[in-house]
Amino acid sequence: MAEQAEARRYDRVLLKISGEALMGDRGYGLNPPTVERIAREVKSVHDLGVEVCMVIGGGNIFRGLQGSAQGMERTTADYMGMLATVMNALAVQGALEALNIHTRVISAITMNEVAEPYIRRRAVRHLEKKRVCIFAAGTGNPYFTTDTAATLRASEMNCQAIFMGKNGVDGVYDKDPQKHPDAVRFDHVTYDEVLQKHLNVMDASAIALARDNQLPIIVFSLDEPGGFRGILAGEGTFTSVSDR
C-alpha cells in the first residue's frame, strides 16, 4: 500500500488522447489491438486508486476543420466531428469493460440510447465511485476543439492535471521532431511560452483556460508500455506545462 501511495502523485486526472492514437498502423478508423493497449494503460493507473476521466478526439474518423476546408458548412462539419468522438469513446469503453473497469460514456450532445447526458455533479459522483468517465462530443458546441473540451471538463471535475498522450512524441519540442532532427525538447514550459512560441501542445483557447485555472498539463508519449503509470509517478520523459 505504501508503494502504491508513493507511485500515486495525483488523485484525479484527465487523460486526453487524439483519435489518431486509436488507429495504430492503419491510416483510418480503429485498430482494436491499439485500443486494447491504451485501455490497459488506463487500467494500470486506475489500479493505483487514481480517479481517471478521458477525452478522445475524433480525427481518425472525421475532422470538422478539414470538412470545412473542403467546402462543408463549418457547424455541420464540427457536429460530425463530435459524433466521431462518441464512436471512439464507445470503443474505449468496450475495451475497458473487457478489463473489468466500470465506465461511463458521458456526451455533451443528448443521445440517451448510447451515452449519459453531461451533468457535472453526476459525473463527479461516478469518479468518486471509481468509474472511468469518458467525455464525448466535445463541449457540445461547434468551433471548439476537443483540446478545449478536455481543459473544460478537467476544470469542472477538479482534476489535478491533464495528461496529454501523444503518438511518437515524448514531450513538447521547439519544432516538429519528426521533421527536424535538431528539434529541442523542453522539460518544462509556461502557459505563456506555449502561446508566444506557438508550441504544439493544445490550441490557444485550451491553454488560456488551463492557465486561468492553474491546471498543469503533462505531455508524454503513449507509445511506451507502462508509460502513463510511470509518468504519473514522475518517471520517464515528459514535458510539464504550468506557471512554474
Side-chain angles (χ1 to χ4, degrees), residues 13-14 20 22 46 50 62 65 73 86 121 160 204 238:
V13 300
L14 185 141
E20 288 86 348
L22 304 180
H46 182 270
V50 178
F62 188 86
L65 273 175
E73 196 271 325
V86 177
R121 292 173 67 91
Q160 294 163 316
F238 60 92

Side-chain angles (χ1 to χ4, degrees), residues 70-106:
Q70 293 171 9
M72 185 178 290
E73 196 271 325
R74 173 65 187 271
T75 301
T76 299
D78 279 355
Y79 278 122
M80 291 174 67
M82 290 179 218
L83 295 177
T85 71
V86 177
M87 295 171 68
N88 285 337
L90 292 172
V92 172
Q93 179 184 44
L96 283 169
E97 297 205 333
L99 298 173
N100 297 315
I101 302 295
H102 296 295
T103 68
R104 292 291 186 274
V105 172
I106 301 173

Side-chain angles (χ1 to χ4, degrees), residues 14-36:
L14 185 141
L15 174 64
K16 166 64 170 67
I17 62 176
S18 66
E20 288 86 348
L22 304 180
M23 293 192 308
D25 55 4
R26 295 185 178 185
Y28 177 83
L30 293 159
N31 182 32
T34 301
V35 176
E36 291 164 12

Side-chain angles (χ1 to χ4, degrees), residues 48-180:
L48 293 175
V50 178
E51 296 170 3
V52 181
C53 42
M54 300 180 68
V55 169
I56 307 168
N60 57 319
I61 299 171
F62 188 86
R63 278 189 177 277
L65 273 175
Q66 289 180 356
S68 177
Q70 293 171 9
M72 185 178 290
E73 196 271 325
R74 173 65 187 271
T75 301
T76 299
D78 279 355
Y79 278 122
M80 291 174 67
M82 290 179 218
L83 295 177
T85 71
V86 177
M87 295 171 68
N88 285 337
L90 292 172
V92 172
Q93 179 184 44
L96 283 169
E97 297 205 333
L99 298 173
N100 297 315
I101 302 295
H102 296 295
T103 68
R104 292 291 186 274
V105 172
I106 301 173
S107 172
I109 298 174
T110 303
M111 48 183 79
N112 292 330
E113 288 76 11
V114 296
E116 286 188 8
Y118 176 70
I119 300 171
R120 190 189 73 84
R121 292 173 67 91
R122 182 186 292 175
V124 169
R125 186 64 179 138
H126 287 319
L127 290 172
E128 291 171 347
K129 291 183 176 181
K130 306 305 179 185
R131 297 165 181 157
V132 173
C133 290
I134 308 172
F135 297 111
T139 66
N141 300 289
Y143 297 93
F144 289 93
T145 66
T146 50
D147 284 347
T148 302
T151 309
L152 176 63
R153 295 294 182 243
S155 300
E156 290 177 306
M157 294 298 106
N158 294 316
C159 291
Q160 294 163 316
I162 297 174
F163 284 75
M164 292 281 295
K166 296 284 190 177
N167 282 33
V169 181
D170 58 359
V172 179
Y173 287 77
D174 61 346
K175 50 192 170 185
D176 188 344
Q178 296 178 335
K179 297 179 180 177
H180 304 277

